[in-house]
Amino acid sequence: MNSFGRMFRVSIYGESHGKGVGVLIDGCPAGIPVDKEDFMGDLSRRKAGGAGSTKRIESDEPVIISGICDGHTTGAPINIHFVNGDTRSKDYSLFKRMPRPGHSDFVAMKKYNGNNDIRGGGHFSGRLTLALVAAGVIAKKILAGSKLNAKLVQVGKTDVRNASEKEIDKILTHVQENGDSIGGIVQFTGVDLPVGLGEPFFGSVESHISSMIFSVPAVKGIEFGAGFEGVKLKGSQHNDSIIDASGKTLTNNNGGINGGISNGNPVVFRVVIKPTPSIYIPQETFNFEEGKMDTLQINGRHDACIAKRATVVVENAAAIALADLFLINKSSQI
Amino acid sequence: MNSFGRMFRVSIYGESHGKGVGVLIDGCPAGIPVDKEDFMGDLSRRKAGGAGSTKRIESDEPVIISGICDGHTTGAPINIHFVNGDTRSKDYSLFKRMPRPGHSDFVAMKKYNGNNDIRGGGHFSGRLTLALVAAGVIAKKILAGSKLNAKLVQVGKTDVRNASEKEIDKILTHVQENGDSIGGIVQFTGVDLPVGLGEPFFGSVESHISSMIFSVPAVKGIEFGAGFEGVKLKGSQHNDSIIDASGKTLTNNNGGINGGISNGNPVVFRVVIKPTPSIYIPQETFNFEEGKMDTLQINGRHDACIAKRATVVVENAAAIALADLFLINKSSQI
Amino acid sequence: MNSFGRMFRVSIYGESHGKGVGVLIDGCPAGIPVDKEDFMGDLSRRKAGGAGSTKRIESDEPVIISGICDGHTTGAPINIHFVNGDTRSKDYSLFKRMPRPGHSDFVAMKKYNGNNDIRGGGHFSGRLTLALVAAGVIAKKILAGSKLNAKLVQVGKTDVRNASEKEIDKILTHVQENGDSIGGIVQFTGVDLPVGLGEPFFGSVESHISSMIFSVPAVKGIEFGAGFEGVKLKGSQHNDSIIDASGKTLTNNNGGINGGISNGNPVVFRVVIKPTPSIYIPQETFNFEEGKMDTLQINGRHDACIAKRATVVVENAAAIALADLFLINKSSQI
Amino acid sequence: MNSFGRMFRVSIYGESHGKGVGVLIDGCPAGIPVDKEDFMGDLSRRKAGGAGSTKRIESDEPVIISGICDGHTTGAPINIHFVNGDTRSKDYSLFKRMPRPGHSDFVAMKKYNGNNDIRGGGHFSGRLTLALVAAGVIAKKILAGSKLNAKLVQVGKTDVRNASEKEIDKILTHVQENGDSIGGIVQFTGVDLPVGLGEPFFGSVESHISSMIFSVPAVKGIEFGAGFEGVKLKGSQHNDSIIDASGKTLTNNNGGINGGISNGNPVVFRVVIKPTPSIYIPQETFNFEEGKMDTLQINGRHDACIAKRATVVVENAAAIALADLFLINKSSQI
């Protein structure tokens, strides 16, 4: 299922080591100004670079194939494509024999009877998140009155907000030098979103956002507002008192969402991103060719903390889900 | 959006104080034996009763309207209906003036311009989860070879697995006597699920399950496998080594899912359920009629810990999502 | 697939001889006045009675189960149910042995491995069109500024517009007395529909309407504007010249639709409805139990010309499709 | 709505005078052999050339962007792209002032508030049918046991089957020399399709095929089996007697479909394709700039009988719809 959304409908395609990756957007209203430059900021936030980062550097230049003409959306499907450049030919048959722990190698082979493109993870590659970032740039334009932002708040056991950038870099460099990897927590905040986004039950803001966010590789958990910590509160503490006619609340334990519908307060959620499964430390795992345990040594180029680059992906993925809910809600207001 | 699923498609309807609630299931294969009795076990698990429970007791008898004939599914849409019985006429205009904190009252009024049925929460009521339980009973039959189970593992700050039932009851009774409420954590485990369920990205097992689970009222977070704790692990610790040809792993930090696809190990997730927002303790909140803060006193009948009754809902909601992925996967195996 | 539509989403359920039939509507805007009486006009147009009509007379009283409160839509899913009353217990095993020619008996048995409810055609029954009529009543309210109408224009070889009602009744009575049946052509006209309904390609007005109309049992063809006769025109004759700034055209060979999008002129289509397959004349067909040809004698109560009663079904089915396109189009206008 | 299908899901993109057009296919099973050469036969059938044909000749070479690796499908989304080559820069502002009769110019401007790409019809161009042909080639591979074919059976008033190729060419040349255009009727036949394709009501074979076929530009009508002529038959004549245990029928007035489900007999339908609206004969139509009637003279390169090239489009579009129903049906067989 490569598509997400009902009105702002996003479909992705491509493989890590194929011709390229991209996104097809249907249902985007006509007349929205979009320029190639508009993508550069967010694409650059996603780019590799800095401490703990992969050595594979792609130019990641968006090619607008369709749906944008004379600097604005036309109402027709928008296809934005990214050519794959810096791929390295190598023998991936190792991962067919010895699927990488924590990776899609084993399940992909089983699900597709060995027909999957395993090079660089194929269609399961994190490179596909380029498509989400590009679509999110347009989604944010639909939500022009709102401000969406995601930031990295934890790296391994370290709270990023209580540490200097230098300390974080040191942690990442250390992990990378050890050939290991480390996870992170990303926090999203969306302010000035309209009241009334989301639909009861299956179209709840939480349902729609979580469904989208779990499509980002390596995400293993999401919590809104007080989230898991909220279990420790009594109802009298967790309830957010409304304090004015706009619906503003004193606290925001519900993360801006009641009954699945946005209440005008900041939409807040946190996402945990597991440590990159591709590590250089040798791992004991099953060799399917020889039918016994064996030592796997991974080479290639990988991030030590994918959470860093995933931050803008989470932000833009949430924007896609919210833009879709925005258009859905509009259609029911007559 | 009252529908969920692509092949095993579930739609819900009804209100807390209307004629009844129910579920319409489309895409259920023909020939599955279904008897009214089959629903009774799970419906009874969902029923009120015991410490901290609401005084509203419904018979919750399923009425099979369509799609089942001579004790088996026919292939036609299945409609299972529950008549509302024990509703109490009363004046709900209070909640239009003073929307309950933590509740859907405010957002529903805004979204539907005051046309929503506010009695007992209307369509936002937890009573709608009857529909999910009923559909889940049939979903489990589609997943006949697998075993799905959810249980309550935490109540407030207390780990249920380290406490006697008596202690838990004491906590719940105490909270209820105080007119307050308390949250909980539910853990789901699905064993012997086939390898290959789920689709890359937007159809990942995590996306599909979380989308469904967040439609259960009061859920505010979900985590798979090691979840948020996993952030503290290095990649070398988090990776689950494969140890035999079936794909069995030594650890299960990924909760049985890699790249969004089930890997044959137990699918494990935890869900946090916030304390019931309906409490008897007076609350300071906004009075929209008078345009100032005021004290809200809620009456009515409510659960002190909805997490208890939500357990079977989580189990069956997950079954729906997994049955849908099961049928989707089957269609692509040629 | 029991659902139709993206924003105004209609799902149907029920069987001819089960508990009842009904419709579930999701995505209907809140605040639309709906009263039980509103359904009576169209339901009565669909009712049996008059020349050539079945002897099965149902009260067809709509029961509003959900989604309507205090005389208006609430924004929650609307379930309208019709109880089955006048069903006759009889032995339907004959049609399992000898599937009726032109009927769903054979394909239903094959598709559902004999698990289908064959009584009265089960879920394939024309009785399900009650659901379409009821949903269409609400759809028309969404399209409040437009006027939709369908009428019977041909019965067998006779143009209804050139014949008196008496002559038509005579034809129908004659056919029924012979134990035979006869087809008809229904013409739909929708005036004052907005310009811009429909989406390019798969969401074209023609695609959406035809998809819906072919779900009406016995429909075997549809043509828009000049339709099949248009093949005889040259482009210079078929093209509809625009004659004013509103987009009004001199002719309407395109049936109010260009490039799949409504152009403001009347949307016009014609539908052919085959003669009712249930006839009393003995038919030679295959006996699956005995493995040889045999004579089938059908009893039961049937219409001699289902096209008569199908007229309002076509009108309301088209209304559903158009209301959905109306809401879809609204969401993209920002 | 640029997407069609539930399991074999086809999305199209592109514009006539933009970078290119293409198709994205999701849900295609893995392991199907697909080679670039496989597309050439059907693409060549669609190509311009011969009597009455446009002078715009494109190479129409398919570029496989994703989803196919080592000569077979991988299970990931398949993107097939066609670069636009032979486009001619010219001033299209004429069609903004004077929308072409019978064309999408007027509705596109209205629907998209003038933001649509009007060059060569933009996204409304018949060039998009390249995408349908390419997807149909893969759809036919899914339906490997069946044989699908469409052919032109009527041109204007002439039955193609009773005329020599020379006579048809003469008609077309004559029309083209006059600067006019002419319509056609295409007949589709699908043999050896399995019994049981299609779902009751909204997923009927007729609904699914017609929905798809009306997305082909210029189609204005579709009829199955006896179609509109069937109105002249009595039920006793129209009913197709079953004559053997496979479900074979003596006649095929139902076009291989009962109750919306395929019955194993040939699926037969006819489609009327209107005369190309782009003609060279001067047309009187509205000048929106000057607010009065005016004479429109179209230049450019156009087909005199688009029905000729539409034949393979109809064939492959039907294949897409049938492949989708095939996969849907498979998922419900447990």
Side-chain angles (χ1 to χ4, degrees):
Chain A
M1 196 162 66
N2 76 329
S3 290
F4 178 91
R6 274 172 94 196
M7 295 309 308
F8 185 76
R9 194 157 182 89
V10 166
S11 305
I12 59 175
Y13 63 84
E15 287 90 13
S16 181
H17 287 214
K19 283 215 169 67
V21 303
V23 65
L24 184 53
I25 304 169
D26 191 39
C28 183
I32 297 177
V34 178
D35 197 89
K36 206 168 145 176
E37 283 310 306
D38 296 339
F39 298 94
M40 292 315 184
D42 282 354
L43 288 173
S44 143
R45 287 169 67 197
R46 185 192 161 281
K47 244 183 197 162
S53 205
T54 175
K55 297 285 178 278
R56 175 176 175 183
I57 310 286
E58 288 276 9
S59 68
D60 294 348
E61 200 187 346
V63 184
I64 296 172
I65 303 284
S66 68
I68 293 171
C69 187
D70 296 337
H72 51 68
T73 58
T74 62
I78 301 168
N79 183 347
I80 302 170
H81 186 73
F82 298 88
V83 173
N84 286 339
D86 185 17
T87 57
R88 298 206 178 158
S89 274
K90 70 165 199 177
D91 184 7
Y92 274 91
S93 61
L94 169 61
F95 301 153
K96 296 218 170 191
R97 282 200 307 279
M98 293 193 68
R100 286 167 291 176
H103 238 286
S104 64
D105 298 340
F106 171 72
V107 293
M109 268 195 302
K110 284 284 188 180
K111 186 173 181 70
Y112 302 116
N113 297 313
N115 293 298
N116 59 303
D117 179 357
I118 203 169
R119 300 168 300 152
H123 182 59
F124 289 85
S125 166
R127 185 157 170 76
L128 272 286
T129 60
L130 269 176
L132 299 180
V133 173
V137 167
I138 295 176
K140 285 177 188 168
K141 286 170 177 271
I142 292 176
L143 301 165
S146 314
K147 264 180 126 153
L148 314 184
N149 179 261
K151 60 184 179 196
L152 190 64
V153 294
Q154 190 170 327
V155 168
K157 297 171 185 171
T158 306
D159 187 327
V160 171
R161 293 162 297 188
N162 301 332
S164 68
E165 204 178 315
K166 213 169 159 182
E167 287 169 303
I168 299 299
D169 280 1
K170 204 174 145 190
I171 293 169
L172 296 177
T173 305
H174 184 250
V175 167
Q176 196 174 37
E177 284 171 359
N178 284 354
D180 213 337
S181 66
I182 194 168
I185 293 179
V186 171
Q187 177 166 310
F188 171 92
T189 308
V191 297
D192 293 333
L193 285 159
V195 181
L197 302 189
E199 307 294 318
F201 290 91
F202 308 126
S204 76
V205 175
E206 294 107 325
S207 289
H208 218 50
I209 285 182
S210 68
S211 168
M212 168 49 94
I213 292 296
F214 276 115
S215 74
V216 178
V219 169
K220 296 305 276 190
I222 188 169
E223 56 178 9
F224 291 82
F228 279 91
E229 282 299 301
V231 74
K232 298 177 184 163
L233 302 177
K234 293 288 191 306
S236 55
Q237 301 164 309
H238 194 285
N239 280 353
D240 302 311
S241 287
I242 300 175
I243 57 172
D244 71 18
S246 76
K248 197 181 167 186
T249 56
L250 195 60
T251 50
N252 192 16
N253 290 315
N254 286 285
I257 306 161
N258 290 118
I261 316 291
S262 68
N263 64 20
N265 292 278
V267 166
V268 179
F269 66 82
R270 271 169 308 287
V271 163
V272 61
I273 291 166
K274 71 175 187 181
T276 328
S278 293
I279 54 173
Y280 302 107
I281 295 176
Q283 300 176 79
E284 294 302 300
T285 194
F286 201 70
N287 185 322
F288 281 72
E289 198 172 270
E290 303 190 2
K292 63 181 179 66
M293 297 298 288
D294 198 352
T295 304
L296 174 70
Q297 174 65 59
I298 299 178
N299 296 301
R301 299 160 295 170
H302 305 286
D303 288 272
C305 179
I306 196 66
K308 246 179 102 176
R309 296 174 60 197
T311 301
V312 66
V313 178
V314 166
E315 178 178 312
N316 285 23
I320 294 169
L322 289 164
D324 189 41
L325 293 175
F326 178 81
L327 295 182
I328 291 171
N329 187 53
K330 201 154 67 68
S331 90
S332 65
Q333 304 296 325
I334 64 172
Chain B
M1 195 163 66
N2 75 330
S3 288
F4 178 91
R6 277 171 91 197
M7 295 309 309
F8 185 77
R9 193 157 182 89
V10 166
S11 306
I12 60 175
Y13 63 85
E15 287 90 14
S16 182
H17 287 214
K19 282 215 169 69
V21 302
V23 66
L24 184 53
I25 305 168
D26 190 40
C28 183
I32 297 178
V34 177
D35 197 89
K36 207 168 145 174
E37 285 309 307
D38 296 340
F39 297 94
M40 292 312 183
D42 281 354
L43 288 172
S44 144
R45 288 168 65 194
R46 184 193 163 280
K47 244 183 197 161
S53 204
T54 176
K55 296 288 178 278
R56 175 177 175 181
I57 309 285
E58 288 276 10
S59 68
D60 293 348
E61 201 187 342
V63 183
I64 296 171
I65 303 285
S66 67
I68 293 172
C69 187
D70 296 337
H72 50 69
T73 58
T74 63
I78 300 168
N79 183 348
I80 301 170
H81 186 72
F82 298 88
V83 173
N84 285 341
D86 184 19
T87 59
R88 300 207 176 157
S89 274
K90 69 163 200 178
D91 183 8
Y92 273 92
S93 60
L94 169 62
F95 302 154
K96 295 217 170 192
R97 284 200 306 280
M98 294 192 66
R100 288 167 290 176
H103 239 285
S104 63
D105 298 341
F106 171 73
V107 293
M109 269 194 302
K110 285 283 186 180
K111 186 174 179 70
Y112 302 116
N113 297 311
N115 293 296
N116 58 302
D117 179 357
I118 203 171
R119 300 168 301 153
H123 182 59
F124 289 86
S125 166
R127 185 157 170 75
L128 271 286
T129 59
L130 270 176
L132 299 180
V133 173
V137 167
I138 295 177
K140 286 177 188 167
K141 288 171 177 272
I142 291 175
L143 301 165
S146 313
K147 265 180 127 152
L148 314 184
N149 180 262
K151 60 185 178 193
L152 190 64
V153 295
Q154 190 169 327
V155 168
K157 297 173 186 169
T158 307
D159 187 326
V160 172
R161 291 161 300 187
N162 301 332
S164 68
E165 205 178 315
K166 214 170 158 180
E167 288 169 303
I168 298 299
D169 280 2
K170 205 174 143 189
I171 293 169
L172 296 177
T173 304
H174 183 250
V175 167
Q176 195 174 37
E177 283 170 0
N178 285 353
D180 213 336
S181 67
I182 194 168
I185 293 178
V186 170
Q187 177 166 309
F188 171 92
T189 307
V191 298
D192 293 334
L193 285 158
V195 180
L197 302 189
E199 306 294 318
F201 291 91
F202 309 127
S204 76
V205 174
E206 293 106 326
S207 288
H208 217 51
I209 285 182
S210 68
S211 168
M212 168 48 94
I213 291 296
F214 276 115
S215 73
V216 178
V219 169
K220 295 306 275 189
I222 188 168
E223 57 178 9
F224 291 82
F228 279 90
E229 282 299 301
V231 74
K232 298 178 185 163
L233 303 178
K234 293 288 191 308
S236 55
Q237 300 165 309
H238 194 285
N239 279 353
D240 302 310
S241 287
I242 300 176
I243 57 171
D244 71 19
S246 76
K248 197 180 167 185
T249 56
L250 194 60
T251 49
N252 191 16
N253 290 313
N254 286 285
I257 307 161
N258 291 118
I261 316 291
S262 67
N263 65 21
N265 292 278
V267 167
V268 179
F269 66 82
R270 270 168 310 285
V271 163
V272 62
I273 291 166
K274 73 175 185 180
T276 328
S278 292
I279 55 173
Y280 301 106
I281 296 175
Q283 300 176 77
E284 295 304 300
T285 193
F286 200 71
N287 186 322
F288 281 72
E289 199 172 86
E290 304 190 3
K292 62 179 180 67
M293 296 299 286
D294 199 352
T295 304
L296 174 70
Q297 173 65 57
I298 298 178
N299 296 303
R301 299 161 296 173
H302 303 287
D303 288 272
C305 178
I306 196 65
K308 246 178 102 175
R309 294 174 61 196
T311 301
V312 65
V313 177
V314 166
E315 177 179 313
N316 284 24
I320 293 169
L322 289 164
D324 189 41
L325 293 176
F326 178 81
L327 295 183
I328 292 170
N329 187 55
K330 202 152 68 68
S331 91
S332 65
Q333 305 295 325
I334 63 172
Chain C
M1 196 161 66
N2 76 330
S3 291
F4 178 90
R6 276 171 92 194
M7 295 309 307
F8 185 76
R9 194 160 180 87
V10 166
S11 306
I12 60 175
Y13 63 84
E15 287 90 14
S16 181
H17 287 214
K19 283 213 168 69
V21 303
V23 66
L24 184 54
I25 304 168
D26 191 40
C28 183
I32 297 178
V34 178
D35 197 88
K36 205 167 145 174
E37 284 309 307
D38 296 339
F39 297 94
M40 293 312 183
D42 281 354
L43 288 172
S44 145
R45 287 169 66 196
R46 185 193 162 280
K47 242 182 200 163
S53 203
T54 175
K55 296 287 179 276
R56 176 176 175 181
I57 309 286
E58 289 276 9
S59 68
D60 293 348
E61 201 187 344
V63 184
I64 296 172
I65 303 285
S66 68
I68 293 172
C69 188
D70 297 336
H72 51 67
T73 58
T74 63
I78 300 168
N79 182 349
I80 302 171
H81 185 73
F82 298 88
V83 173
N84 286 340
D86 185 18
T87 57
R88 299 205 176 158
S89 274
K90 68 164 200 177
D91 185 6
Y92 274 91
S93 60
L94 169 62
F95 301 153
K96 296 218 170 191
R97 282 199 307 279
M98 294 191 67
R100 287 168 291 178
H103 238 285
S104 63
D105 298 340
F106 171 72
V107 294
M109 269 195 303
K110 283 285 187 179
K111 186 173 180 70
Y112 302 116
N113 297 312
N115 293 298
N116 59 304
D117 179 357
I118 203 170
R119 300 169 301 152
H123 182 59
F124 289 86
S125 167
R127 186 158 169 74
L128 272 286
T129 59
L130 269 175
L132 299 181
V133 173
V137 167
I138 295 177
K140 285 177 189 167
K141 286 169 178 271
I142 292 176
L143 301 165
S146 314
K147 263 180 127 151
L148 314 183
N149 178 261
K151 60 184 178 194
L152 190 64
V153 295
Q154 189 170 328
V155 168
K157 296 172 186 170
T158 307
D159 187 327
V160 172
R161 292 161 298 187
N162 301 332
S164 68
E165 205 178 315
K166 213 169 159 182
E167 287 169 303
I168 299 299
D169 280 2
K170 204 174 143 189
I171 293 169
L172 296 178
T173 305
H174 184 250
V175 166
Q176 196 175 37
E177 283 170 359
N178 285 354
D180 213 336
S181 66
I182 195 169
I185 293 179
V186 171
Q187 178 166 310
F188 172 93
T189 308
V191 298
D192 293 333
L193 285 158
V195 180
L197 303 189
E199 307 294 318
F201 291 90
F202 308 126
S204 76
V205 175
E206 294 106 325
S207 288
H208 218 51
I209 285 182
S210 68
S211 169
M212 167 49 93
I213 292 296
F214 276 115
S215 73
V216 178
V219 170
K220 296 305 277 189
I222 188 168
E223 56 179 9
F224 291 81
F228 279 90
E229 283 298 302
V231 74
K232 297 177 186 164
L233 302 177
K234 293 288 190 306
S236 54
Q237 302 164 307
H238 194 286
N239 280 353
D240 302 311
S241 286
I242 301 176
I243 57 173
D244 71 18
S246 75
K248 197 179 166 187
T249 56
L250 194 61
T251 49
N252 191 15
N253 290 313
N254 286 285
I257 307 160
N258 290 119
I261 316 292
S262 67
N263 64 20
N265 291 279
V267 167
V268 179
F269 65 83
R270 270 169 310 284
V271 163
V272 62
I273 292 167
K274 72 176 185 179
T276 329
S278 293
I279 55 173
Y280 302 107
I281 295 176
Q283 300 176 78
E284 295 302 300
T285 194
F286 201 71
N287 185 322
F288 281 74
E289 199 172 87
E290 303 190 2
K292 62 183 180 68
M293 298 298 286
D294 198 353
T295 304
L296 175 70
Q297 173 65 58
I298 298 178
N299 295 302
R301 299 161 296 172
H302 304 286
D303 288 273
C305 179
I306 196 66
K308 246 178 102 176
R309 295 173 61 196
T311 301
V312 66
V313 178
V314 166
E315 178 179 312
N316 285 23
I320 294 169
L322 288 164
D324 189 41
L325 292 176
F326 178 82
L327 295 182
I328 291 170
N329 187 52
K330 202 154 66 69
S331 90
S332 65
Q333 303 298 325
I334 63 172
Chain D
M1 196 163 64
N2 75 331
S3 289
F4 178 91
R6 277 172 91 196
M7 295 308 310
F8 185 77
R9 194 158 182 88
V10 166
S11 306
I12 60 175
Y13 63 85
E15 287 90 13
S16 180
H17 288 213
K19 283 215 169 67
V21 303
V23 65
L24 184 52
I25 304 168
D26 190 40
C28 183
I32 296 178
V34 178
D35 198 89
K36 207 167 146 176
E37 285 308 308
D38 296 339
F39 298 94
M40 292 312 182
D42 282 355
L43 288 172
S44 145
R45 288 168 66 195
R46 183 192 164 282
K47 244 182 197 163
S53 204
T54 176
K55 298 285 179 279
R56 175 176 177 185
I57 309 286
E58 288 276 9
S59 69
D60 294 348
E61 201 187 344
V63 183
I64 296 171
I65 303 285
S66 67
I68 294 172
C69 188
D70 297 336
H72 50 68
T73 59
T74 63
I78 300 167
N79 184 347
I80 301 170
H81 186 72
F82 298 88
V83 173
N84 286 340
D86 184 18
T87 58
R88 297 204 178 160
S89 275
K90 69 165 198 175
D91 184 8
Y92 274 91
S93 60
L94 170 61
F95 302 153
K96 296 216 169 191
R97 282 199 309 280
M98 294 191 68
R100 287 167 291 177
H103 238 285
S104 63
D105 297 341
F106 171 72
V107 294
M109 269 194 303
K110 284 284 187 178
K111 186 173 180 72
Y112 302 117
N113 298 312
N115 293 297
N116 58 302
D117 179 356
I118 203 170
R119 300 169 300 153
H123 182 59
F124 288 86
S125 165
R127 185 157 170 76
L128 272 285
T129 58
L130 270 177
L132 298 181
V133 173
V137 167
I138 295 177
K140 286 178 189 167
K141 288 171 177 271
I142 292 176
L143 301 165
S146 314
K147 262 179 127 151
L148 314 184
N149 179 261
K151 60 184 177 195
L152 190 64
V153 295
Q154 189 169 328
V155 168
K157 297 172 185 169
T158 307
D159 187 327
V160 172
R161 291 162 298 188
N162 301 331
S164 67
E165 205 177 314
K166 214 168 159 182
E167 288 169 302
I168 299 299
D169 280 1
K170 204 173 144 190
I171 293 169
L172 296 176
T173 303
H174 184 250
V175 167
Q176 196 173 36
E177 283 170 359
N178 285 353
D180 214 335
S181 66
I182 195 168
I185 293 179
V186 170
Q187 177 165 309
F188 171 92
T189 309
V191 297
D192 293 333
L193 286 158
V195 180
L197 302 189
E199 307 293 318
F201 291 91
F202 308 126
S204 76
V205 174
E206 293 107 325
S207 288
H208 217 50
I209 284 182
S210 69
S211 167
M212 167 49 93
I213 292 296
F214 276 115
S215 73
V216 178
V219 170
K220 296 305 276 190
I222 188 169
E223 56 179 9
F224 291 82
F228 280 89
E229 282 298 302
V231 74
K232 299 177 185 164
L233 303 178
K234 293 287 191 306
S236 55
Q237 300 165 309
H238 194 286
N239 280 352
D240 302 310
S241 288
I242 301 175
I243 57 171
D244 71 19
S246 76
K248 197 180 167 187
T249 55
L250 193 61
T251 49
N252 191 16
N253 289 314
N254 285 284
I257 306 162
N258 290 118
I261 317 291
S262 67
N263 65 19
N265 291 279
V267 167
V268 179
F269 65 83
R270 269 169 310 286
V271 163
V272 62
I273 291 166
K274 72 174 185 181
T276 328
S278 293
I279 55 173
Y280 302 106
I281 296 176
Q283 301 177 78
E284 293 304 299
T285 194
F286 201 70
N287 185 322
F288 281 73
E289 200 172 86
E290 304 190 2
K292 62 179 179 68
M293 297 299 288
D294 199 352
T295 305
L296 174 70
Q297 173 65 58
I298 299 178
N299 296 303
R301 300 160 295 170
H302 305 286
D303 288 272
C305 180
I306 197 66
K308 246 178 101 177
R309 294 174 60 197
T311 302
V312 66
V313 177
V314 166
E315 177 179 313
N316 285 23
I320 293 169
L322 288 165
D324 189 41
L325 293 176
F326 177 82
L327 295 182
I328 291 170
N329 186 54
K330 202 154 67 70
S331 90
S332 65
Q333 304 297 326
I334 64 171

